[in-house]
Amino acid sequence: MTRYLARRVVGMIPTLLVLLFMVVVMVRLVPGSIVDIILEETASGAEGEAARAALEERLGLDRPLPVSYVNYVTGVLRGDLGQSLWDQSPVTEQVLRRLPPTLSIAAVAIVMAIVLSVPIGVLSAVRRDTWLDYLLRSVAIAGISVPSFVIGTAFVIFPALWFGLSLVQFRYVSFVEDPVANLKIIIPPAAVLAIGLTASVARLMRTMMLEVLTQDYMRTARAKGLTGSTVIMRHGLKNAMIPVITLLGLQFAFLIGGSVITESIFAIPGLGRLLIDALRQRDYPIIQGVVLTIGVMVMLTNLLIDMSYAYLDPRVRFA
Amino acid sequence: MSEANYWTPRQRRWGRRAVLRGAVAAGAGLGFAALVGCGDDDDAADEPGDTPTNGGAATDSPAAGQAPTGPAQEGVPRLEGEPTIGGSWVVGLTSTYQQHDMHTALAGTVWHVISERALELDEWTGEVRGNIVENWELANEEGTELVLNVRPGVPIQDKPPWNGRDFNAEDLAFNLERIAGFTAEDEGIPRTSFQRRSTLEGMTNAEAVDERTVRVTMDRPAGAFFNGLAEIRNQLMPQGVVDVGFDDPTKLAGVGAFEITEFRPGEREEYRRHPNYYRQGEPYFDNLTRLVLPDRASILAAFIDGQISYFGGPVPHESQSIQAVKPDALFYEWPNTNWDHIRPNTMHEVLSDFRVRKAMQLAVDYVELNDGYWGPGWTWNAVAHPAYPESWDEDKVQTLPGYNPDTKEQDRAEAGKLLDAAGYPNGAGVRFEIMPQISSSYEDNALRFQDQLSQLWPDIEITINRPSDSAAFATRQADRDFEMISYTITTLPDIFLEWHSQYHRDGSRNYGSFENADADALIERGLVTFDADARQEIAEEFQTKFMEEWQPMVVLNIQPERYVLQPNIGGFDTTAGPWGFTGYRLTNKAGRWFEVAT
């Protein structure tokens, strides 16, 4: 197990280097420059040329790409993600400050999705081709079809327009400051994100459950005289969960990266918002820091998923 | 309030132009006589026509519990009643202040909340009036020596190293020299980073001669100096701020109504009342909060729910939504300082021809274009904002070829002839791309412009190419890498500063690369002229030539400035007006606002 873990971690290094290279190169390829945004009025004309050159030098943007890459990798190895080009604040600090709200929302969304989708998927499979199955499948398709930003916007705006009140508290309070207030703020965006996730997981759960229900060991379990619910819970669910866990893991990473719009709608100061603001302002070190963080989280999540297989299926062994 | 009732007053808006003209002739025109000893307190209680031309005697600010009252203006409701002392003013804005050095910052900073300007402009007349600089005078007849007197008893907020001491002449001199970029070399910052240095163009030295007096030396008479100093982004910082540094905004201290207590980027900023604020009895609110709400629907919901104090810039359908659920909300509207335009790159093969540019200006139906997006409430504009004392007013603009709705058919016929003469019959051969800045209004302007001209001249080929985002637009605009752009400009506080920026060959915002020796000469003359009549004369010639010989861009409108406030917010009317730069100083003037029991 330890050797497997060590091998996987070492195997992540080339992926990380490629990710770092892409991050450094791609942000430079985005049209529009922070220099023009900062200088604005003075960016034009002959004087502007000198000003742009001076500012590029000051911000370190005049360095060749390979030099920037090496500097960045060296910094990352030291745990230094650089400084914001706008306010010179350390990127690491900004990322760490913005990570908890994003992680909280993603975690709550995952919990909500599991709590809802597993029973829905199982029920749908067990009651296959009944009116209940059709209803649950239709709802699931609707949940997948409507983008979360549409649901989020509707959640925010319609109560205000119809009843003159908002279901959302826009002044963010951290969990440390006030856990109850924090949950009140976190739950609405998490619920919005959970809708699509619940729908996808429920559909997969149904499919996997249908497959499991036809397996020999399920028939054997029933023949032993076990009750239907015991057969489902003890023998069916665990086996059907492996691909579901994979999907949830991938979705968790997707939720982290895809929280941009939801965080904007619900005014959550998370990682997605930090990325959007940095992109708008062409704050390259912050863009790099956030993308790198999300990339690392995706890799770690995949590792955790792989490790969870051993628990769910004893046939899986780490060689 | 029905929509018709809400918008109807706007159609009579520029009836006040008569009032405005009367006031600015004495004050805002920067006539020599008006400059000598001119100054006034920043109290809006005076009627616009009562512009003081001498002295510097301060008008007392209203005491706590007594509502400040501004002149009644159409479209700007006045809420009477006893101010409630205390409470919180909560603003929902889309982003956090990112730059904290006022002198190099591009736009808004915490200084807009925690500090003040040396001089201000009357919100309606544009008259320069005293603020932290109580009064001023010209020390010689050439207008090259100026004396500025700092108001006594203006405490800086109680943070080290200032610890509540009074703002003095050395602080002011520090600001003047640093705004002009004189400290650039010592600080190792490029001088071009000092964004507002052009507002003090011509200043060679600023020196504190005693505790309250600063002597300013110019290399030439500078008619725009005081207006430049009143620029909304010239907020004052105390000396020593560079040593404190700009990394942590909570360490900064100004002379404004609120002091900063908490700064959470991307989340919120918290401010509390400055207990020793120099205006007696202000601020009325105890606290001020800037919440970052990036999504417009969220801001609207937060306003309707009462979580924030105002909703800014509603378009008609948003106003209707608010009226439906919050009928007692207060709607404010007045002319903005932003003017929308279609700017051709005059280096473009076709657009370099004055006849083509003029034909487009003549052909546009401005009523259809502007009503389509803004609804009624926008302001006519041809060459310069009608709120300048020297500029053509709305009535005049509506008589100009192209702008006159009654002669649209004739003007379009004339436009066709101009295109024929230029070798582009029916628009054949005229081919260009419009790049709008990322915003619904600029995209709308570009689309309507394209649509109108294409319908009129079917052979014209106009395409619209949206940039990926604002930063991409900014780069292409700065590089002059465009054929035509659709955007807006925030008016500078002096007409010749404005024209220098836009149309002078060295202008910092002459993105269209317009070059004309006559235009340059007129602008340069205007900048060194103090006499109001002479300035008027130069401006008249400039505007005439702009329309008849140059047409460097097609000016579309002045945007309407619109705010909706919670029904219990009073005092806002004292800071409304075209020269209020409200978008910038929504928090800067929050000391004047208060709650009343409803």
Side-chain angles (χ1 to χ4, degrees):
Chain A
M1 175 73 173
T2 311
R3 281 179 61 196
Y4 172 80
L5 192 61
R7 210 167 54 237
R8 285 292 303 269
V9 171
V10 171
M12 285 163 68
I13 292 173
T15 315
L16 201 60
L17 287 173
V18 172
L19 175 67
L20 282 168
F21 182 74
M22 289 180 70
V23 158
V24 173
V25 171
M26 288 182 77
V27 294
R28 300 294 198 286
L29 296 178
V30 178
S33 160
I34 184 174
V35 172
D36 293 319
I37 303 173
I38 291 177
L39 290 177
E40 204 201 36
E41 295 178 28
T42 48
S44 192
E47 196 185 21
E49 286 300 317
R52 290 165 81 170
L55 190 56
E56 278 176 1
E57 186 185 347
R58 193 169 146 225
L59 297 177
L61 300 175
D62 58 335
R63 293 177 201 139
L65 210 51
V67 175
S68 298
Y69 176 67
V70 170
N71 286 348
Y72 191 64
V73 171
T74 315
V76 169
L77 290 175
R78 289 196 313 265
D80 176 11
L81 297 178
Q83 292 183 320
S84 161
L85 297 180
W86 280 89
D87 60 12
Q88 281 70 54
S89 60
V91 174
T92 312
E93 263 180 32
Q94 292 217 38
V95 168
L96 290 176
R97 195 173 59 238
R98 299 295 193 93
L99 198 52
T102 305
L103 284 177
S104 312
I105 292 174
V108 173
I110 289 280
V111 170
M112 285 179 173
I114 292 171
V115 168
L116 291 170
S117 63
V118 172
I120 289 172
V122 170
L123 200 59
S124 199
V126 172
R127 301 287 168 86
R128 182 183 183 181
D129 294 335
T130 63
W131 67 268
L132 184 62
D133 181 29
Y134 289 128
L135 177 69
L136 292 174
R137 282 161 65 190
S138 302
V139 171
I141 287 172
I144 293 170
S145 307
V146 184
S148 60
F149 69 86
V150 173
I151 300 171
T153 305
F155 191 87
V156 164
I157 199 69
F158 285 133
L161 296 182
W162 291 339
F163 312 115
L165 56 88
S166 173
L167 301 176
V168 181
Q169 171 58 247
F170 291 104
R171 184 191 291 249
Y172 181 77
V173 181
S174 72
F175 190 81
V176 178
E177 288 172 292
D178 186 340
V180 176
N182 177 260
L183 280 176
K184 282 183 186 168
I185 293 166
I186 292 293
I187 284 173
V192 166
L193 287 174
I195 290 173
L197 186 56
T198 302
S200 324
V201 174
R203 279 178 62 79
L204 182 64
M205 190 72 217
R206 177 184 180 274
T207 307
M208 296 314 301
M209 206 61 200
L210 284 174
E211 196 180 316
V212 167
L213 286 174
T214 60
Q215 298 295 313
D216 291 345
Y217 59 82
M218 294 295 284
R219 193 169 54 243
T220 306
R222 276 194 291 269
K224 283 198 309 183
L226 294 176
T227 62
S229 59
T230 307
V231 172
I232 298 289
M233 298 302 290
R234 192 181 297 171
H235 298 284
L237 194 57
K238 202 169 173 186
N239 285 297
M241 280 300 281
I242 291 180
V244 172
I245 293 287
T246 307
L247 177 67
L248 282 169
L250 293 173
Q251 287 293 323
F252 183 76
F254 175 79
L255 287 176
I256 301 288
S259 58
V260 172
I261 298 176
T262 312
E263 286 181 3
S264 293
I265 294 169
F266 289 91
I268 305 290
L271 215 51
R273 281 262 312 283
L274 183 63
L275 179 62
I276 278 286
D277 290 343
L279 277 167
R280 198 163 41 83
Q281 301 287 350
R282 298 296 187 272
D283 200 337
Y284 306 130
I286 290 192
I287 299 170
Q288 292 169 181
V290 175
V291 173
L292 181 65
T293 305
I294 292 172
V296 168
M297 289 177 70
V298 170
M299 287 190 269
L300 290 176
T301 309
N302 277 333
L303 182 61
L304 286 173
I305 291 168
D306 288 350
M307 291 173 69
S308 71
Y309 292 161
Y311 167 74
L312 291 167
D313 186 349
R315 291 171 300 179
V316 177
R317 290 286 176 269
F318 299 111
Chain B
M1 188 188 295
S2 73
E3 189 192 2
N5 286 340
Y6 168 42
W7 295 119
T8 302
R10 310 304 312 135
Q11 295 165 14
R12 302 194 303 271
R13 183 185 56 249
W14 283 102
R16 68 171 168 266
R17 284 289 302 168
V19 177
L20 191 152
R21 284 279 181 212
V24 295
L30 290 174
F32 185 83
L35 272 173
V36 177
C38 180
D40 186 30
D41 183 63
D42 181 21
D43 190 282
D46 295 335
E47 289 296 322
D50 296 335
T51 305
T53 54
N54 54 31
T59 306
D60 287 339
S61 297
Q66 178 189 343
T69 52
Q73 302 287 351
E74 287 179 76
V76 179
R78 268 165 68 169
L79 188 66
E80 308 289 352
E82 290 293 302
T84 302
I85 308 299
S88 293
W89 171 259
V90 186
V91 181
L93 296 173
T94 54
S95 61
T96 302
Y97 291 135
Q98 283 194 292
Q99 295 171 297
H100 310 306
D101 178 350
M102 188 69 258
H103 297 154
T104 59
L106 178 62
T109 71
V110 295
W111 294 99
H112 282 83
V113 188
I114 66 172
S115 203
E116 300 264 342
R117 284 173 288 167
L119 300 170
E120 294 191 328
L121 300 175
D122 181 278
E123 286 79 7
W124 289 96
T125 67
E127 172 203 352
V128 178
R129 66 185 180 209
N131 190 34
I132 303 305
V133 167
E134 189 174 34
N135 50 47
W136 59 92
E137 60 187 321
L138 296 182
N140 65 6
E141 287 198 8
E142 295 77 35
T144 55
E145 293 282 336
L146 317 173
V147 170
L148 309 178
N149 294 313
V150 176
R151 182 185 297 270
V154 178
I156 299 167
Q157 289 146 11
D158 190 9
K159 292 185 180 183
W162 307 285
N163 301 318
R165 72 164 172 81
D166 281 358
F167 190 90
N168 59 34
E170 287 194 359
D171 292 310
L172 179 63
F174 157 76
N175 277 273
L176 295 174
E177 296 236 317
R178 198 160 183 275
I179 289 170
F182 294 168
T183 60
E185 202 172 318
D186 290 344
E187 294 184 49
I189 302 173
R191 190 165 176 236
T192 43
S193 295
F194 292 86
Q195 300 276 348
R196 255 73 62 199
R197 67 189 190 286
S198 64
T199 61
L200 304 185
E201 196 69 43
M203 188 183 83
T204 56
N205 185 44
E207 183 186 6
V209 291
D210 61 34
E211 187 70 9
R212 285 190 55 207
T213 313
V214 172
R215 181 174 292 271
V216 174
T217 309
M218 313 289 296
D219 62 11
R220 57 184 181 272
F225 179 85
F226 295 104
N227 286 49
L229 191 54
E231 218 269 357
I232 188 65
R233 291 166 294 178
N234 280 337
Q235 304 286 335
L236 298 173
M237 302 193 292
Q239 194 175 27
V241 72
V242 176
D243 296 328
V244 169
F246 300 101
D247 293 344
D248 180 358
T250 60
K251 290 182 178 167
L252 304 174
V255 295
F258 292 94
E259 56 189 39
I260 186 165
T261 56
E262 195 175 9
F263 187 83
R264 300 189 187 193
E267 190 180 329
R268 68 173 182 265
E269 296 150 35
E270 300 283 359
Y271 303 82
R272 68 174 171 228
R273 71 161 46 235
H274 174 196
N276 299 319
Y277 182 47
Y278 86 92
R279 289 180 200 281
Q280 189 192 351
E282 294 182 20
Y284 297 91
F285 282 113
D286 281 344
N287 300 296
L288 185 152
T289 301
R290 293 178 91 251
L291 286 180
V292 180
L293 306 176
D295 187 73
R296 187 150 181 89
S298 307
I299 298 177
L300 181 59
F303 174 75
I304 290 173
D305 191 40
Q307 293 186 43
I308 57 175
S309 304
Y310 81 92
F311 181 72
V315 289
H317 73 85
E318 289 169 328
S319 297
Q320 288 167 20
S321 299
I322 294 170
Q323 284 163 3
V325 291
K326 215 176 180 73
D328 53 352
L330 298 168
F331 286 79
Y332 288 69
E333 182 186 81
W334 63 87
N336 198 328
T337 44
N338 285 357
W339 48 277
D340 292 352
H341 59 269
I342 300 285
R343 188 195 300 260
N345 187 333
T346 59
M347 307 304 281
H348 182 266
E349 184 188 354
V350 175
L351 301 174
S352 62
D353 190 326
F354 160 73
R355 293 168 297 186
V356 176
R357 302 196 299 266
K358 185 67 193 174
M360 290 190 287
Q361 182 272 326
L362 287 171
V364 173
D365 181 339
Y366 297 89
V367 174
E368 190 275 337
L369 186 146
N370 290 311
D371 276 358
Y373 183 80
W374 296 106
W378 54 276
T379 299
W380 290 91
N381 183 21
V383 185
H385 197 305
Y388 287 121
E390 300 90 350
S391 63
W392 288 338
D393 64 17
E394 270 203 294
D395 294 338
K396 165 83 175 177
V397 173
Q398 288 177 77
T399 65
L400 298 173
Y403 292 107
N404 187 342
D406 299 332
T407 60
K408 187 42 64 189
E409 287 311 309
Q410 295 159 242
D411 294 338
R412 287 186 157 177
E414 180 61 26
K417 288 179 195 166
L418 282 171
L419 279 189
D420 288 348
Y424 307 109
N426 216 22
V430 176
R431 190 179 303 113
F432 58 84
E433 173 187 285
I434 308 177
M435 177 177 67
Q437 173 60 297
I438 299 293
S439 161
S440 56
S441 63
Y442 314 131
E443 291 178 13
D444 195 274
N445 287 343
L447 280 168
R448 289 175 192 277
F449 183 84
Q450 176 200 40
D451 181 59
Q452 288 187 10
L453 298 195
S454 300
Q455 285 194 33
L456 188 61
W457 298 311
D459 294 339
I460 200 166
E461 290 178 51
I462 305 175
T463 52
I464 294 179
N465 183 8
R466 291 174 182 82
S468 53
D469 64 4
S470 294
F473 177 92
T475 294
R476 287 188 60 191
Q477 180 179 248
D479 290 345
R480 305 179 185 199
D481 175 23
F482 63 87
E483 295 174 347
M484 190 173 270
I485 52 177
S486 169
Y487 194 25
T488 198
I489 293 287
T490 299
T491 307
L492 291 176
D494 179 88
I495 197 167
F496 291 107
L497 278 180
E498 171 93 329
W499 285 341
H500 186 277
S501 163
Q502 300 295 327
Y503 308 119
H504 192 280
R505 74 178 63 235
D506 298 328
S508 59
R509 307 192 83 169
N510 185 1
Y511 304 117
S513 302
F514 175 71
E515 286 191 18
N516 183 281
D518 279 356
D520 291 353
L522 286 168
I523 292 166
E524 285 161 13
R525 265 174 56 208
L527 282 172
V528 298
T529 302
F530 285 102
D531 180 76
D533 292 336
R535 283 171 63 91
Q536 185 80 54
E537 213 171 280
I538 299 166
E540 183 68 26
E541 187 178 345
F542 187 96
Q543 289 171 101
T544 304
K545 288 188 169 175
F546 184 103
M547 295 300 295
E548 295 178 359
E549 298 174 28
W550 307 330
Q551 202 66 58
M553 67 169 91
V554 180
V555 178
L556 302 176
N557 62 34
I558 301 289
Q559 299 174 358
E561 180 127 10
R562 292 169 178 159
Y563 288 98
V564 195
L565 275 83
Q566 298 293 351
N568 66 336
I569 300 293
F572 195 80
D573 56 309
T574 61
T575 57
W579 291 114
F581 295 97
T582 314
Y584 270 109
R585 68 178 205 183
L586 267 168
T587 45
N588 181 225
K589 278 290 171 187
R592 288 285 168 89
W593 305 332
F594 49 81
E595 291 180 17
V596 289
T598 54

